[in-house]
Amino acid sequence: MSAPKRVAVVGSANMDLVGLAENLPRPGETVLGDDFVMTPGGKGANQAIAAARAGGATTFLGAIGSDSFGVTLGSRLAATGVDTTHLRTSYGSSGVAVIMVDRAGENSILVSPGANRTFLDLTDDERACVAEADVLLCQQEIPLATVAAALAAGRAAGTRTILNAAPARELPPGLLDQVDLLVVNETEARAITGGSASDMGALLALVPRVVLTLSGNGSRYADRDGQDVHVPAFPVEVADTTAAGDAFCGALAVAWAEGRDLIEAVRWANAAGAASVRKVGASNGLPERSEIEAIYAG
């Protein structure tokens, strides 16, 4: 078997505090929960772990705090095979996400960035990591100037660049010019175009390739070559949807790095997302390559 392809992930690391209940509380309401889980998360760390478990040689670039959460976050990343050589430690608190999940698997999330706010620009060594990767994967839970710097470094080096534009934020001019593949859900698509989430033409005017994730309805892939394809979801029993998008993005980066056709890469990523929702907890639910292959082949 050939050596694993290299994936660089630039993004956030958080400790996820997950409360499980029959229903999500409405504003001003208190509900009694079923259970509580504390698990490492953050979109960047989740996607790095997802890529590593999917079979990529993955390097994570980000920042953790000097608190006990930071120790746990760094240990979890390293234990899953992610290269944390360049992981920064910032004095103060780590990022924290407070997550509520109902019995249908739907969730509500509040994120306090903590150390992620301190991840400003990239060092020469971090730029070298991006340049050496086959695929760069970024999200939007860190300062957007750092996202832009990473994407620019990737583009300059010929590294294929993926931006998962989550959470939805106003993007600085020129950032999307550095993106080879944009991954968005319907909310994020509307935030970028200001129009309909299904207007793939508006997105393709900004980037050459787009994946629109559709939750339980699978994904839609379109590019400037004229392809516009719905890729169905894999039906599974849902326990928690918290990290489904992160499992999808990490697996997509690995599949593209391995040279798969992008429609098949999206299908494989759908399988990763399906595998992830069967377990509670963000990084806890991220699937191994064998789990992805079992659903993909099924």
mmCIF file of all heavy atoms in Angstrom, residues 178-210:
data_model
loop_
_atom_site.group_PDB
_atom_site.id
_atom_site.type_symbol
_atom_site.label_atom_id
_atom_site.label_comp_id
_atom_site.label_asym_id
_atom_site.label_seq_id
_atom_site.Cartn_x
_atom_site.Cartn_y
_atom_site.Cartn_z
ATOM 1 N N GLN A 178 -8.677 32.039 -3.025
ATOM 2 C CA GLN A 178 -7.635 31.060 -2.719
ATOM 3 C C GLN A 178 -8.201 29.658 -2.498
ATOM 4 O O GLN A 178 -7.463 28.746 -2.133
ATOM 5 C CB GLN A 178 -6.869 31.490 -1.450
ATOM 6 C CG GLN A 178 -6.389 32.928 -1.446
ATOM 7 C CD GLN A 178 -5.418 33.219 -2.556
ATOM 8 O OE1 GLN A 178 -4.633 32.358 -2.960
ATOM 9 N NE2 GLN A 178 -5.459 34.441 -3.093
ATOM 10 N N VAL A 179 -9.508 29.484 -2.702
ATOM 11 C CA VAL A 179 -10.187 28.224 -2.369
ATOM 12 C C VAL A 179 -10.414 27.390 -3.622
ATOM 13 O O VAL A 179 -11.002 27.865 -4.598
ATOM 14 C CB VAL A 179 -11.535 28.522 -1.669
ATOM 15 C CG1 VAL A 179 -12.310 27.228 -1.434
ATOM 16 C CG2 VAL A 179 -11.290 29.251 -0.350
ATOM 17 N N ASP A 180 -9.968 26.131 -3.593
ATOM 18 C CA ASP A 180 -10.220 25.205 -4.699
ATOM 19 C C ASP A 180 -11.554 24.493 -4.547
ATOM 20 O O ASP A 180 -12.207 24.165 -5.542
ATOM 21 C CB ASP A 180 -9.105 24.155 -4.775
ATOM 22 C CG ASP A 180 -7.764 24.756 -5.151
ATOM 23 O OD1 ASP A 180 -7.733 25.636 -6.035
ATOM 24 O OD2 ASP A 180 -6.739 24.367 -4.556
ATOM 25 N N LEU A 181 -11.959 24.209 -3.303
ATOM 26 C CA LEU A 181 -13.203 23.492 -3.037
ATOM 27 C C LEU A 181 -13.848 24.086 -1.797
ATOM 28 O O LEU A 181 -13.239 24.126 -0.725
ATOM 29 C CB LEU A 181 -12.918 22.001 -2.825
ATOM 30 C CG LEU A 181 -14.089 21.110 -2.390
ATOM 31 C CD1 LEU A 181 -15.201 21.126 -3.437
ATOM 32 C CD2 LEU A 181 -13.616 19.680 -2.146
ATOM 33 N N LEU A 182 -15.079 24.554 -1.943
ATOM 34 C CA LEU A 182 -15.833 25.149 -0.836
ATOM 35 C C LEU A 182 -16.861 24.144 -0.348
ATOM 36 O O LEU A 182 -17.603 23.562 -1.145
ATOM 37 C CB LEU A 182 -16.540 26.424 -1.314
ATOM 38 C CG LEU A 182 -17.427 27.149 -0.298
ATOM 39 C CD1 LEU A 182 -16.582 27.770 0.812
ATOM 40 C CD2 LEU A 182 -18.274 28.217 -0.999
ATOM 41 N N VAL A 183 -16.916 23.948 0.978
ATOM 42 C CA VAL A 183 -17.911 23.065 1.594
ATOM 43 C C VAL A 183 -18.791 23.904 2.506
ATOM 44 O O VAL A 183 -18.292 24.541 3.444
ATOM 45 C CB VAL A 183 -17.252 21.934 2.399
ATOM 46 C CG1 VAL A 183 -18.320 21.025 3.018
ATOM 47 C CG2 VAL A 183 -16.306 21.116 1.520
ATOM 48 N N VAL A 184 -20.102 23.917 2.230
ATOM 49 C CA VAL A 184 -21.036 24.720 3.013
ATOM 50 C C VAL A 184 -22.335 23.957 3.215
ATOM 51 O O VAL A 184 -22.699 23.102 2.403
ATOM 52 C CB VAL A 184 -21.362 26.065 2.318
ATOM 53 C CG1 VAL A 184 -20.202 27.030 2.399
ATOM 54 C CG2 VAL A 184 -21.778 25.847 0.861
ATOM 55 N N ASN A 185 -23.050 24.297 4.313
ATOM 56 C CA ASN A 185 -24.431 23.852 4.421
ATOM 57 C C ASN A 185 -25.331 24.960 3.896
ATOM 58 O O ASN A 185 -24.847 25.982 3.390
ATOM 59 C CB ASN A 185 -24.772 23.437 5.863
ATOM 60 C CG ASN A 185 -24.676 24.586 6.857
ATOM 61 O OD1 ASN A 185 -24.732 25.769 6.488
ATOM 62 N ND2 ASN A 185 -24.556 24.256 8.130
ATOM 63 N N GLU A 186 -26.628 24.791 3.996
ATOM 64 C CA GLU A 186 -27.537 25.760 3.387
ATOM 65 C C GLU A 186 -27.450 27.131 4.048
ATOM 66 O O GLU A 186 -27.492 28.165 3.374
ATOM 67 C CB GLU A 186 -28.960 25.215 3.425
ATOM 68 C CG GLU A 186 -29.131 23.997 2.511
ATOM 69 C CD GLU A 186 -30.498 23.354 2.614
ATOM 70 O OE1 GLU A 186 -30.799 22.811 3.703
ATOM 71 O OE2 GLU A 186 -31.248 23.389 1.634
ATOM 72 N N THR A 187 -27.299 27.158 5.376
ATOM 73 C CA THR A 187 -27.168 28.431 6.084
ATOM 74 C C THR A 187 -25.915 29.170 5.647
ATOM 75 O O THR A 187 -25.928 30.379 5.396
ATOM 76 C CB THR A 187 -27.141 28.203 7.596
ATOM 77 O OG1 THR A 187 -28.374 27.593 8.005
ATOM 78 C CG2 THR A 187 -26.955 29.505 8.360
ATOM 79 N N GLU A 188 -24.812 28.442 5.551
ATOM 80 C CA GLU A 188 -23.531 29.053 5.171
ATOM 81 C C GLU A 188 -23.547 29.511 3.716
ATOM 82 O O GLU A 188 -22.973 30.545 3.373
ATOM 83 C CB GLU A 188 -22.413 28.051 5.433
ATOM 84 C CG GLU A 188 -22.231 27.750 6.926
ATOM 85 C CD GLU A 188 -21.798 26.328 7.225
ATOM 86 O OE1 GLU A 188 -21.486 25.555 6.284
ATOM 87 O OE2 GLU A 188 -21.782 25.976 8.424
ATOM 88 N N ALA A 189 -24.227 28.745 2.857
ATOM 89 C CA ALA A 189 -24.344 29.144 1.454
ATOM 90 C C ALA A 189 -25.100 30.463 1.330
ATOM 91 O O ALA A 189 -24.691 31.362 0.574
ATOM 92 C CB ALA A 189 -25.055 28.049 0.658
ATOM 93 N N ARG A 190 -26.190 30.598 2.073
ATOM 94 C CA ARG A 190 -26.955 31.848 2.026
ATOM 95 C C ARG A 190 -26.137 33.017 2.551
ATOM 96 O O ARG A 190 -26.224 34.132 2.042
ATOM 97 C CB ARG A 190 -28.251 31.703 2.822
ATOM 98 C CG ARG A 190 -29.350 30.944 2.089
ATOM 99 C CD ARG A 190 -30.679 31.056 2.807
ATOM 100 N NE ARG A 190 -30.657 30.335 4.065
ATOM 101 C CZ ARG A 190 -31.047 29.081 4.214
ATOM 102 N NH1 ARG A 190 -31.497 28.403 3.166
ATOM 103 N NH2 ARG A 190 -31.003 28.491 5.394
ATOM 104 N N ALA A 191 -25.334 32.776 3.579
ATOM 105 C CA ALA A 191 -24.510 33.847 4.148
ATOM 106 C C ALA A 191 -23.487 34.353 3.129
ATOM 107 O O ALA A 191 -23.149 35.541 3.113
ATOM 108 C CB ALA A 191 -23.798 33.352 5.408
ATOM 109 N N ILE A 192 -22.994 33.463 2.276
ATOM 110 C CA ILE A 192 -21.989 33.843 1.283
ATOM 111 C C ILE A 192 -22.617 34.554 0.088
ATOM 112 O O ILE A 192 -22.110 35.575 -0.380
ATOM 113 C CB ILE A 192 -21.197 32.602 0.820
ATOM 114 C CG1 ILE A 192 -20.302 32.107 1.968
ATOM 115 C CG2 ILE A 192 -20.348 32.919 -0.411
ATOM 116 C CD1 ILE A 192 -19.624 30.785 1.682
ATOM 117 N N THR A 193 -23.732 34.024 -0.406
ATOM 118 C CA THR A 193 -24.323 34.572 -1.621
ATOM 119 C C THR A 193 -25.357 35.658 -1.359
ATOM 120 O O THR A 193 -25.642 36.472 -2.242
ATOM 121 C CB THR A 193 -24.999 33.468 -2.442
ATOM 122 O OG1 THR A 193 -26.128 32.953 -1.713
ATOM 123 C CG2 THR A 193 -24.026 32.342 -2.739
ATOM 124 N N GLY A 194 -25.945 35.639 -0.149
ATOM 125 C CA GLY A 194 -27.021 36.570 0.143
ATOM 126 C C GLY A 194 -28.316 36.200 -0.546
ATOM 127 O O GLY A 194 -29.282 36.967 -0.533
ATOM 128 N N GLY A 195 -28.384 35.021 -1.135
ATOM 129 C CA GLY A 195 -29.573 34.586 -1.862
ATOM 130 C C GLY A 195 -29.982 33.185 -1.470
ATOM 131 O O GLY A 195 -29.835 32.768 -0.321
ATOM 132 N N SER A 196 -30.458 32.422 -2.458
ATOM 133 C CA SER A 196 -30.935 31.067 -2.223
ATOM 134 C C SER A 196 -29.768 30.117 -1.960
ATOM 135 O O SER A 196 -28.729 30.200 -2.608
ATOM 136 C CB SER A 196 -31.721 30.575 -3.441
ATOM 137 O OG SER A 196 -31.978 29.198 -3.353
ATOM 138 N N ALA A 197 -29.989 29.192 -1.010
ATOM 139 C CA ALA A 197 -28.952 28.205 -0.715
ATOM 140 C C ALA A 197 -28.727 27.261 -1.885
ATOM 141 O O ALA A 197 -27.651 26.676 -2.021
ATOM 142 C CB ALA A 197 -29.331 27.409 0.529
ATOM 143 N N SER A 198 -29.730 27.107 -2.732
ATOM 144 C CA SER A 198 -29.624 26.167 -3.844
ATOM 145 C C SER A 198 -29.039 26.787 -5.108
ATOM 146 O O SER A 198 -28.910 26.111 -6.131
ATOM 147 C CB SER A 198 -31.000 25.579 -4.160
ATOM 148 O OG SER A 198 -31.893 26.599 -4.570
ATOM 149 N N ASP A 199 -28.661 28.066 -5.051
ATOM 150 C CA ASP A 199 -28.106 28.752 -6.219
ATOM 151 C C ASP A 199 -26.623 28.419 -6.350
ATOM 152 O O ASP A 199 -25.752 29.180 -5.934
ATOM 153 C CB ASP A 199 -28.322 30.257 -6.097
ATOM 154 C CG ASP A 199 -27.916 31.013 -7.367
ATOM 155 O OD1 ASP A 199 -27.389 30.360 -8.291
ATOM 156 O OD2 ASP A 199 -28.114 32.237 -7.407
ATOM 157 N N MET A 200 -26.341 27.266 -6.927
ATOM 158 C CA MET A 200 -24.955 26.839 -7.066
ATOM 159 C C MET A 200 -24.189 27.742 -8.022
ATOM 160 O O MET A 200 -22.974 27.918 -7.894
ATOM 161 C CB MET A 200 -24.901 25.385 -7.544
ATOM 162 C CG MET A 200 -25.551 24.396 -6.606
ATOM 163 S SD MET A 200 -24.762 24.324 -4.975
ATOM 164 C CE MET A 200 -23.614 22.984 -5.223
ATOM 165 N N GLY A 201 -24.896 28.344 -8.973
ATOM 166 C CA GLY A 201 -24.235 29.253 -9.901
ATOM 167 C C GLY A 201 -23.606 30.431 -9.201
ATOM 168 O O GLY A 201 -22.497 30.871 -9.553
ATOM 169 N N ALA A 202 -24.294 30.959 -8.175
ATOM 170 C CA ALA A 202 -23.756 32.091 -7.431
ATOM 171 C C ALA A 202 -22.500 31.695 -6.676
ATOM 172 O O ALA A 202 -21.546 32.474 -6.576
ATOM 173 C CB ALA A 202 -24.811 32.627 -6.458
ATOM 174 N N LEU A 203 -22.468 30.466 -6.152
ATOM 175 C CA LEU A 203 -21.280 29.989 -5.456
ATOM 176 C C LEU A 203 -20.146 29.714 -6.436
ATOM 177 O O LEU A 203 -18.983 30.025 -6.165
ATOM 178 C CB LEU A 203 -21.616 28.729 -4.653
ATOM 179 C CG LEU A 203 -22.549 28.931 -3.460
ATOM 180 C CD1 LEU A 203 -23.045 27.595 -2.926
ATOM 181 C CD2 LEU A 203 -21.842 29.709 -2.353
ATOM 182 N N LEU A 204 -20.479 29.152 -7.594
ATOM 183 C CA LEU A 204 -19.452 28.829 -8.584
ATOM 184 C C LEU A 204 -18.876 30.076 -9.248
ATOM 185 O O LEU A 204 -17.819 30.006 -9.882
ATOM 186 C CB LEU A 204 -20.016 27.885 -9.643
ATOM 187 C CG LEU A 204 -20.289 26.452 -9.157
ATOM 188 C CD1 LEU A 204 -21.038 25.663 -10.215
ATOM 189 C CD2 LEU A 204 -18.992 25.747 -8.763
ATOM 190 N N ALA A 205 -19.548 31.196 -9.091
ATOM 191 C CA ALA A 205 -18.959 32.453 -9.557
ATOM 192 C C ALA A 205 -17.815 32.882 -8.649
ATOM 193 O O ALA A 205 -16.971 33.701 -9.039
ATOM 194 C CB ALA A 205 -20.029 33.545 -9.588
ATOM 195 N N LEU A 206 -17.757 32.288 -7.448
ATOM 196 C CA LEU A 206 -16.753 32.665 -6.453
ATOM 197 C C LEU A 206 -15.644 31.636 -6.308
ATOM 198 O O LEU A 206 -14.500 31.984 -6.010
ATOM 199 C CB LEU A 206 -17.431 32.875 -5.100
ATOM 200 C CG LEU A 206 -18.542 33.945 -5.061
ATOM 201 C CD1 LEU A 206 -19.301 33.870 -3.742
ATOM 202 C CD2 LEU A 206 -17.945 35.329 -5.262
ATOM 203 N N VAL A 207 -15.973 30.356 -6.478
ATOM 204 C CA VAL A 207 -15.001 29.265 -6.318
ATOM 205 C C VAL A 207 -15.231 28.237 -7.426
ATOM 206 O O VAL A 207 -16.342 28.120 -7.948
ATOM 207 C CB VAL A 207 -15.137 28.572 -4.938
ATOM 208 C CG1 VAL A 207 -14.773 29.514 -3.805
ATOM 209 C CG2 VAL A 207 -16.552 28.034 -4.743
ATOM 210 N N PRO A 208 -14.213 27.458 -7.797
ATOM 211 C CA PRO A 208 -14.379 26.529 -8.917
ATOM 212 C C PRO A 208 -15.174 25.263 -8.600
ATOM 213 O O PRO A 208 -15.711 24.630 -9.508
ATOM 214 C CB PRO A 208 -12.936 26.182 -9.313
ATOM 215 C CG PRO A 208 -12.131 26.466 -8.103
ATOM 216 C CD PRO A 208 -12.801 27.588 -7.386
ATOM 217 N N ARG A 209 -15.261 24.879 -7.323
ATOM 218 C CA ARG A 209 -15.953 23.636 -6.939
ATOM 219 C C ARG A 209 -16.682 23.866 -5.623
ATOM 220 O O ARG A 209 -16.132 24.497 -4.712
ATOM 221 C CB ARG A 209 -14.963 22.473 -6.767
ATOM 222 C CG ARG A 209 -14.102 22.194 -7.984
ATOM 223 C CD ARG A 209 -12.964 21.244 -7.648
ATOM 224 N NE ARG A 209 -11.988 21.173 -8.733
ATOM 225 C CZ ARG A 209 -10.978 22.034 -8.890
ATOM 226 N NH1 ARG A 209 -10.799 23.033 -8.010
ATOM 227 N NH2 ARG A 209 -10.144 21.908 -9.898
ATOM 228 N N VAL A 210 -17.877 23.286 -5.501
ATOM 229 C CA VAL A 210 -18.695 23.472 -4.304
ATOM 230 C C VAL A 210 -19.318 22.150 -3.888
ATOM 231 O O VAL A 210 -19.818 21.388 -4.729
ATOM 232 C CB VAL A 210 -19.833 24.490 -4.544
ATOM 233 C CG1 VAL A 210 -20.717 24.614 -3.300
ATOM 234 C CG2 VAL A 210 -19.287 25.848 -4.935
#
